[in-house]
Amino acid sequence: NAGVTQTPKFRILKIGQSMTLQCAQDMNHNYMYWYRQDPGMGLKLIYYSVGAGITDKGEVPNGYNVSRSTTEDFPLRLELAAPSQTSVYFCASSTGIGRSDTEAFFGQGTRLTVV
Amino acid sequence: GQQLNQSPQSMFIQEGEDVSMNCTSSSIFNTWLWYKQEPGEGPVLLIALYKAGELTSNGRLTAQFGITRKDSFLNISASIPSDVGIYFCAGQLREGTYKYIFGTGTRLKVLA
């Protein structure tokens, strides 16, 4: 099992550019999440999804968009990159079933720098 | 918004020593998770706690869900060099919200 796969691993963007961070999971998990991690800080939830076609905002959604057309994929879109979006982005997924419904498995992260 | 206070921020310990770290909040949580993150990797789940007072072990790791539901601690016994990393607590405020608040992490370094 590959688990949660994120691409790219690193990216440098110029201010105002746009890009999509890809996330795919092969565990048939219902729930998927996007977090950002700033230096020396914990993770903050950007967006999450409880199933295909359903998304909702987390703590810090401004400047981002998501879609969930399939169970496997949950891309994160940055439309107009700003220096404040320089961060490490983590995608995660969880089963949504039973007691472990929110135990999240994380990808390896995408390190994004906006200059 | 809600905050999780995680302490200590960092620790330097000798191999073989025991380690203790904790998370506290003014809010009540339904679930606590403890994660470990190594450089360049995503967080990996260590222990999950689901009810007040619950004490759970995973090898040399032991974690407890505080009785007041506002805190949790993680202990590592007989530390080894591969315990190095950042340990995060995460609390779920209300069952079914699917949202976790993460602490700022405890950075652990083990000196051989």
Side-chain angles (χ1 to χ4, degrees):
Chain A
N1 262 349
V4 179
T5 303
Q6 290 183 237
T7 55
K9 286 189 166 47
F10 304 94
R11 183 72 185 268
I12 298 175
L13 279 182
K14 293 185 178 177
I15 294 171
Q17 285 186 319
S18 61
M19 78 163 293
T20 299
L21 281 67
Q22 301 292 345
C23 176
Q25 53 92 9
D26 61 0
M27 298 175 281
N28 202 32
H29 283 175
N30 291 320
Y31 302 158
M32 296 187 75
Y33 316 81
W34 274 105
Y35 289 90
R36 60 177 286 173
Q37 184 178 33
D38 297 328
M41 303 296 289
L43 286 80
K44 291 195 180 296
L45 184 63
I46 304 171
Y47 270 96
Y48 68 100
S49 168
V50 300
I54 306 169
T55 63
D56 207 349
K57 296 178 180 178
E59 294 177 81
V60 289
N62 291 344
Y64 307 95
N65 278 302
V66 293
S67 59
R68 185 98 181 270
S69 56
T70 66
T71 299
E72 294 78 18
D73 300 300
F74 190 40
L76 177 72
R77 178 90 179 154
L78 283 71
E79 289 294 349
L80 290 170
S84 61
Q85 293 178 305
T86 294
S87 189
V88 181
Y89 291 83
F90 288 101
C91 178
S93 71
S94 62
T95 64
I97 299 171
R99 200 182 200 199
S100 62
D101 66 349
T102 52
E103 293 175 17
F105 295 84
F106 283 81
Q108 289 193 309
T110 295
R111 187 175 297 273
L112 177 67
T113 302
V114 181
V115 296
Chain B
Q2 293 83 7
Q3 281 192 309
L4 281 182
N5 301 309
Q6 191 169 347
S7 65
Q9 283 189 328
S10 60
M11 303 178 74
F12 290 79
I13 62 168
Q14 292 288 336
E15 183 177 0
E17 287 184 353
D18 296 342
V19 173
S20 185
M21 60 191 79
N22 67 80
C23 275
T24 61
S25 176
S26 57
S27 301
I28 293 174
F29 291 93
N30 277 341
T31 304
W32 285 96
L33 304 180
W34 283 93
Y35 285 88
K36 179 187 178 186
Q37 185 179 25
E38 298 186 11
E41 302 289 330
V44 174
L45 183 65
L46 298 174
I47 291 178
L49 302 162
Y50 295 99
K51 55 181 187 177
E54 182 178 353
L55 183 72
T56 297
S57 293
N58 178 8
R60 293 179 295 106
L61 278 61
T62 302
Q64 186 159 27
F65 195 144
I67 290 291
T68 63
R69 297 169 71 183
K70 295 181 179 180
D71 60 350
S72 176
F73 73 74
L74 174 71
N75 287 344
I76 305 173
S77 63
S79 58
I80 59 178
S82 62
D83 289 334
V84 164
I86 305 176
Y87 292 79
F88 290 100
C89 62
Q92 183 192 37
L93 277 168
R94 186 164 54 90
E95 191 170 345
T97 62
Y98 319 115
K99 298 181 188 179
Y100 277 87
I101 297 173
F102 278 77
T104 52
T106 294
R107 286 149 187 78
L108 179 64
K109 295 201 173 177
V110 180
L111 307 174

